[in-house]
Amino acid sequence: MADAFQVLAEPRRREVLRLVAERERTAGEIAERFDVTRQAVSQHLRILLEAGLVHERREGARRWYSARPEGLEDVRAYLETM
């Protein structure tokens, strides 16, 4: 599992996480919000998935993504020590 701090160091990944925290979205919806290829957005989503920060739900050919608040527990715990 990737370190959440390393994953969140990338601005686009933070923005993807913010989008899926608002509501569940498809990969296509997420990609429309960025000035990069869908493949690049898919890569960011894969990294967020591996870090446990997002959840993927498949519905037919579509993949829906939502935030996993529990994935940020380590980050919260670290910040609370400050």
Side-chain angles (χ1 to χ4, degrees), residues 26-54:
T26 64
E29 280 181 88
I30 296 165
E32 289 172 358
R33 305 294 279 270
F34 294 93
D35 226 8
V36 295
T37 66
R38 284 184 183 240
Q39 183 179 358
V41 171
S42 291
Q43 178 77 5
H44 288 305
L45 286 165
R46 184 184 60 76
I47 292 168
L48 288 163
L49 274 165
E50 289 175 1
L53 298 174
V54 298

Side-chain angles (χ1 to χ4, degrees), residues 64-81:
W64 292 83
Y65 295 90
S66 57
R68 290 187 67 243
E70 62 274 16
L72 291 172
E73 286 176 5
D74 289 342
V75 173
R76 280 190 196 102
Y78 175 78
L79 293 173
E80 287 175 3
T81 67

